[in-house]
Amino acid sequence: MAGTRITNIQSAAKQSPKIQLPQRSSAALEAVQIRKKSSQSSGDRLSQSKSMVLQESDLPPKPISRHRRNQSQHNVVVPGSGASVLEPFVGLKGEHLNVTKISESGKKQRKNWTVMWSVLTTDQLLFYKEKQHESSQKTSKTDVVHLCGALIQWTTEKSSRKNVFQITTNTGSEYLLQTDCYSTAGKWYDAIRKSVDSSTKSDGGFSLRRSNSTDFLPRHSSLPGHGSASPSSKQRNPVHRRSINMFGSSKLKHSTSDSADKNGVKNRLKKFIIRRPSMKTLQEKGLIKDRVFGCHLLTLCEREGNTVPRFVQICVDAVDKRGMEVDGIYRVSGNLATIQKLRFVVDQEEELDLDQGQWEDIHVVTGALKMFFRELPEPLFPFRFFQLFVDAVKIKESKPKVQAVKKLIQEMPKPNKDTMKLLFSHLHRVLAFSRKNLMSTQGIGIVFGPTLMWPELDAGNMAVNMVYQNQIVEFILIESREIFNLDTK
């Protein structure tokens, strides 16, 4: 009987919507309301049935993660619009958006953000330089984006700005759209996506072309409205979730070729290292010259056929000639760039004349001399003598201390001993002009202590070692006449 009453009510409702219905149960009234709306199309019934189930908030939907776009994005419905997924967003008006074109038919372009007046139609997205009014003719159109067969997705990797989404056309052109307002960006994203789905479905499905290629691909596996990607395909390419699915296979090919190229480079480097000539061969051919700075003292003196390096002798003569009365000689630093230039000239075995104008500053000469001693592989005081000199300078009595230091110097190799004698004799003459150059034995000891000697291994206290270095140089300078027999010269 209940079924007969409902059938009678339905027929009455079809004949006259204004008929007064008797009081019935809530289930019967609900059935009447649903049947009353059945005069609409099947597509509208599907949209309304979905709107009854999906209760969304008034805010625009949050950006959906790229790797989940195919699963859920095509089911989102804007609440209150009353439109199905495939209908264009009718209520959207033109608005200023930040737009940049990053690819033209697969060819990458430089990113250049521009504020454009954007207008959305059923199948196109139009960009204007200036705001367009309804009465004005739209003649300043700069770009037209055809939405049929396009892809749209949120992106955080193509730009550091917030609220950025990308549109990829079927020809491989790529656009980035952005606005600082999140709700505005979400509104435009949904509207463009609906236009893409509507225009693509009405066109019977539009084939997509891979960026930077002429190959056309089916769009069913990557666009909204055509079903989500199969779980098996996601498991095969889990590492490419950040990119569009249709580019997955090409990325795998590139990674394979990259690994092959790396192996090829490694093999070529190994062959080059094996075949490269030795340092001795390069020196014999004249490709590499023997250096002066950084060369061992014994090797340098043997090569020059002397017991004192020629560069040390030239520098000492120049300071004796024009630097004895200079304030702060050896204490004041010279221009480092000029010192390095002088070093380069010496290492290239060019003719050196310190009387030239470029070496006029005597502090450049003294700086180069100190650099020569600092860069010796083994200091002027050989490593094995460091602790012996420390023990000798600890002797309290003056004469035994002098004899111990003199004995150690006599035991040194001849190049070290002769170079030390030349240098300390020169420094002794510098002290003779201390009233004008304001240099004292303590000042020279501080300058030349760490320059002429240092331990082979910094195992001890550096501060303690520096104190002994300064004391040893200062003591030898004071007792230079007795130690080097300068009076008998």
Side-chain angles (χ1 to χ4, degrees):
M1 293 296 293
T4 304
R5 291 193 190 97
I6 293 174
T7 303
N8 295 333
I9 293 173
Q10 290 174 352
S11 60
K14 290 181 180 180
Q15 294 175 2
S16 176
K18 297 182 180 180
I19 188 171
Q20 297 293 328
L21 299 178
Q23 297 294 328
R24 299 295 180 184
S25 64
S26 58
L29 291 176
E30 183 177 357
V32 170
Q33 292 175 0
I34 294 176
R35 295 297 184 181
K36 184 178 179 179
K37 297 178 182 180
S38 63
S39 60
Q40 301 177 6
S41 64
S42 60
D44 294 337
R45 290 201 304 270
L46 177 60
S47 172
Q48 291 172 358
S49 62
K50 287 185 177 180
S51 63
M52 293 175 64
V53 177
L54 298 178
Q55 300 297 329
E56 301 289 344
S57 62
D58 293 334
L59 294 175
K62 295 184 178 180
I64 301 175
S65 183
R66 297 177 67 177
H67 62 282
R68 295 183 59 85
R69 175 179 55 79
N70 291 339
Q71 296 182 3
S72 59
Q73 183 175 337
H74 62 282
N75 290 328
V76 178
V77 176
V78 179
S81 64
S84 64
V85 174
L86 300 179
E87 292 180 356
F89 198 88
V90 179
L92 187 64
K93 297 182 179 180
E95 200 165 358
H96 281 109
L97 298 178
N98 297 320
V99 182
T100 179
K101 191 174 185 179
I102 62 175
S103 177
E104 173 70 32
S105 299
K107 296 181 180 180
K108 298 298 181 181
Q109 292 188 350
R110 185 175 181 180
K111 187 189 302 180
N112 186 17
W113 288 101
T114 308
V115 179
M116 306 292 289
W117 179 257
S118 306
V119 177
L120 178 64
T121 65
T122 55
D123 60 349
Q124 291 180 346
L125 182 61
L126 309 178
F127 296 129
Y128 300 89
K129 292 183 179 180
E130 299 177 355
K131 182 178 179 180
Q132 301 297 312
H133 301 282
E134 295 180 358
S135 58
S136 63
Q137 294 182 355
K138 301 179 179 180
T139 58
S140 61
K141 182 167 53 181
T142 60
D143 208 344
V144 178
V145 182
H146 297 281
L147 300 179
C148 181
L151 285 171
I152 180 171
Q153 57 188 357
W154 295 99
T155 178
T156 58
E157 301 163 358
K158 300 295 182 67
S159 175
S160 59
R161 299 190 177 193
K162 61 181 181 180
N163 308 327
V164 180
F165 60 89
Q166 175 180 336
I167 300 176
T168 305
T169 65
N170 67 302
T171 59
S173 299
E174 298 177 356
Y175 297 81
L176 295 182
L177 281 74
Q178 184 267 345
T179 180
D180 293 336
C181 180
Y182 172 75
S183 60
T184 303
K187 175 182 64 177
W188 276 88
Y189 175 88
D190 289 333
I192 296 173
R193 180 177 56 80
K194 293 176 185 297
S195 297
V196 168
D197 295 342
S198 176
S199 60
T200 302
K201 186 172 182 179
S202 62
D203 196 53
F206 205 95
S207 59
L208 293 175
R209 186 170 69 185
R210 179 182 288 117
S211 177
N212 204 17
S213 174
T214 58
D215 298 334
F216 287 89
L217 300 176
R219 57 187 306 282
H220 302 287
S221 61
S222 55
L223 277 182
H226 292 276
S228 60
S230 61
S232 59
S233 62
K234 291 191 175 184
Q235 293 177 0
R236 286 195 298 268
N237 297 322
V239 296
H240 300 297
R241 295 193 304 174
R242 300 193 323 175
S243 62
I244 303 175
N245 293 341
M246 63 181 179
F247 301 125
S249 60
S250 61
K251 287 194 171 229
L252 289 175
K253 293 179 181 178
H254 289 321
S255 62
T256 305
S257 61
D258 290 343
S259 60
D261 292 340
K262 290 180 181 179
N263 292 332
V265 171
K266 289 181 180 179
N267 293 332
R268 288 194 294 271
L269 286 175
K270 288 179 181 179
K271 292 179 181 179
F272 172 77
I273 293 174
I274 294 174
R275 293 198 305 263
R276 66 177 181 175
S278 62
M279 183 68 68
K280 184 178 180 181
T281 304
L282 294 176
Q283 291 176 350
E284 291 176 354
K285 292 183 178 181
L287 298 177
I288 295 181
K289 295 183 179 181
D290 296 325
R291 298 176 302 171
V292 175
F293 283 76
C295 182
H296 199 283
L297 185 62
L298 298 178
T299 305
L300 180 60
C301 292
E302 183 180 354
R303 189 172 73 225
E304 295 179 350
N306 201 346
T307 56
V308 177
R310 186 182 301 116
F311 177 70
V312 175
Q313 184 68 60
I314 295 175
C315 291
V316 168
D317 293 341
V319 177
D320 283 337
K321 181 178 178 181
R322 52 190 175 93
M324 286 297 184
E325 298 181 359
V326 176
D327 185 11
I329 191 69
Y330 286 112
R331 176 171 51 82
V332 178
S333 300
N335 183 270
L336 183 58
T338 311
I339 293 173
Q340 292 289 358
K341 184 177 180 180
L342 177 58
R343 170 185 177 171
F344 177 80
V345 172
V346 174
D347 280 339
Q348 294 299 314
E349 297 182 0
E350 298 181 10
E351 193 67 27
L352 180 61
D353 184 9
L354 294 181
D355 291 332
Q356 294 180 354
Q358 57 182 338
W359 320 125
E360 181 181 3
D361 186 5
I362 195 63
H363 296 300
V364 171
V365 178
T366 57
L369 181 61
K370 291 185 292 183
M371 180 181 289
F372 170 83
F373 285 113
R374 284 196 301 266
E375 294 195 2
L376 288 174
E378 188 175 21
L380 186 62
F381 289 74
F383 290 131
R384 65 180 185 273
F385 287 89
F386 181 84
Q387 190 59 43
L388 297 176
F389 274 102
V390 172
D391 295 337
V393 82
K394 291 180 180 179
I395 301 175
K396 295 182 179 181
E397 292 79 5
S398 178
K399 288 186 177 182
K401 184 188 297 187
V402 173
Q403 294 299 324
V405 172
K406 184 176 181 180
K407 182 179 178 181
L408 290 175
I409 294 176
Q410 293 297 327
E411 294 177 356
M412 287 184 180
K414 190 169 180 59
N416 297 72
K417 181 174 58 177
D418 292 350
T419 304
M420 192 178 302
K421 181 177 180 179
L422 174 69
L423 179 62
F424 278 94
S425 300
H426 165 70
L427 295 177
H428 191 269
R429 293 191 295 272
V430 171
L431 284 177
F433 294 86
S434 59
R435 290 186 178 181
K436 294 185 177 181
N437 57 38
L438 303 180
M439 292 298 294
S440 61
T441 55
Q442 185 178 6
I444 294 178
I446 293 174
V447 172
F448 280 94
T451 302
L452 300 180
M453 63 184 306
W454 59 84
E456 185 174 8
L457 300 175
D458 294 332
N461 192 328
M462 292 182 61
V464 175
N465 291 337
M466 186 172 294
V467 170
Y468 285 124
Q469 291 166 352
N470 300 346
Q471 289 181 358
I472 292 170
V473 172
E474 184 179 354
F475 179 78
I476 295 176
L477 183 58
I478 295 173
E479 303 293 340
S480 57
R481 291 182 177 274
E482 178 67 22
I483 293 175
F484 297 107
N485 300 322
L486 300 182
D487 292 338
T488 60
K489 183 178 178 182

